[in-house]
Amino acid sequence: MKPSRRFFHAAAFLVAGLLAAVLSLTSAPPAQAERTGLRAADPSVLRVGDTYVSVQSTGGGIAVRLAASTAALASAPARQVWSDTRALGEVWAPEIVRDGGRYYIYFSAGRGAAHRMYVISSATPDSGYGAETRLALPDDKWAIDGTLFTFGGQRWSGWAGDTNVEQNLYIARMSGPTTPTGGRYIISQPREGWERVVGNPYINEGPEAIKDPNGQLHIVYSANGSWSDQYCLADLRLRAGGDPTYVWDWYKSNGCLFGSHRETMMPGWDPTLYADGPGHHSFVLLDGDIGTSPPAGPRFPLMFHAVPKGTPYSWENRYWYTGGFCWWGNTTYSRANVPGPNTDTGWGLKFFE
């Protein structure tokens, strides 16, 4: 394994799935999904001590909420921390991370093909942010859903080339929270049948990093169009000792790990009962650090957006939900006609409403 480097990720790629290995599930059946009162998309939440911090776009800006629990975030006051004073355009999917004691909020802004990644930072989570800085991402392509994590690089997503055909996931190294270095490397494309149910374009986006009990890196992402109830979460698992910038060291789950359609689920995973099209999630980790990823065993907090079953599926009907996840051991991901071994067995993920 290479020495630890910083990673940055953005929108168009996916990875998902988690639960515990040796243990079997003995707890009561999952309760009905807890829909918060927050009618919004793309939750980004981290825990700092006993406080939960969330960030969301507010049309022409970005707002932060602080609360004593994930469920209480919806009723917490939203403090505007940044406004689009330069008319950059649509503000999408802000992501809050903590690095070196500072808070960084990554977001995409622009119109159409002009979407690029920006970052603001502060010493406190809900005030003191300065002007935005545009990230100098490799190749200067359309990019959304960016995030930073420490393991070995930076990742982000964008169109393959300059046409809106498909959104891929890319990774790039960072020399610091605001400084990409070197090239971009593709790690996932929406090429499996179960992630091409809804297209134009086909989608891999909303990647979130997490480290399993063996220390292997996972990228859980959203697949299929976000405008459809086929939206779901899937997983990319980096093989033990693998290079995060080498696409064939990544193994993809053989179906959705969290979704509302049985026909697209990975064998052995069940569809949701109460929410349609779960996606663009947030692992609620201490300080947002994948070094604090949970061990095998109990369930841990998750937030995701979805539409209540029985409600017409549309962007306007998305809510934040609280949920849970756990690691699931001895999970085999298989592939064919590519370099390297056809199978990889390790930890996967289970998600709960």
Side-chain angles (χ1 to χ4, degrees), residues 34-260:
E34 186 175 349
R35 185 182 80 195
T36 73
L38 195 55
R39 198 166 187 160
D42 310 327
S44 175
V45 184
L46 52 80
R47 179 169 69 86
V48 181
D50 294 326
T51 301
Y52 293 83
V53 183
S54 73
V55 65
Q56 68 186 102
S57 61
T58 57
I62 293 172
V64 169
R65 298 170 187 260
L66 306 180
S69 68
T70 54
L73 285 168
S75 57
R79 295 194 60 177
Q80 188 100 349
V81 297
W82 177 84
S83 297
D84 185 12
T85 57
R86 296 197 297 119
L88 296 174
E90 301 155 330
V91 178
W92 289 351
E95 178 94 358
I96 189 165
V97 303
R98 197 163 184 242
D99 184 275
R102 286 188 68 83
Y103 296 86
Y104 295 85
I105 298 176
Y106 299 89
F107 63 96
S108 178
R111 293 179 178 84
H115 277 88
R116 296 294 187 273
M117 291 303 308
Y118 296 84
V119 61
I120 55 176
S121 71
S122 174
T124 55
D126 61 343
S127 64
Y129 290 88
E132 74 282 354
T133 297
R134 178 168 160 175
L135 291 170
L137 291 173
D139 300 333
D140 190 26
K141 299 289 187 182
W142 182 94
I144 61 171
D145 297 354
T147 193
L148 180 83
F149 61 96
T150 299
F151 186 85
Q154 168 201 18
R155 77 188 174 88
W156 54 286
S157 91
W159 295 337
D162 296 299
T163 54
N164 189 11
V165 175
E166 63 179 21
Q167 289 179 204
N168 307 317
L169 293 182
Y170 295 87
I171 195 166
R173 294 184 180 93
M174 302 286 283
S175 60
T178 62
T179 311
T181 179
R184 63 172 181 157
Y185 300 89
I186 194 165
I187 60 172
S188 181
Q189 294 173 279
R191 299 294 173 84
E192 302 300 322
W194 53 267
E195 57 184 350
R196 294 174 68 88
V197 179
V198 174
N200 193 27
Y202 296 109
I203 298 289
N204 280 182
E205 67 184 12
E208 294 292 334
I210 193 165
K211 203 160 61 172
D212 71 26
N214 286 341
Q216 287 174 248
L217 179 64
H218 294 245
I219 302 293
V220 177
Y221 66 98
S222 299
N224 289 308
S226 63
W227 54 91
S228 160
D229 64 3
Q230 293 282 354
Y231 206 47
C232 70
L233 294 182
D235 183 35
L236 292 176
R237 181 176 63 218
L238 185 68
R239 71 171 181 83
D243 179 354
T245 66
Y246 181 55
V247 64
W248 302 123
D249 278 350
W250 291 95
Y251 285 77
K252 183 178 289 192
S253 58
N254 299 117
C256 303
L257 298 183
F258 196 37
S260 52

Side-chain angles (χ1 to χ4, degrees), residues 33 46 130 151 219 224 230 244 255 274 285 304 312 327 330 342:
L46 52 80
F151 186 85
I219 302 293
N224 289 308
Q230 293 282 354
Y274 311 108
L285 302 176
F304 60 95
W327 291 106
N330 200 32
N342 288 337

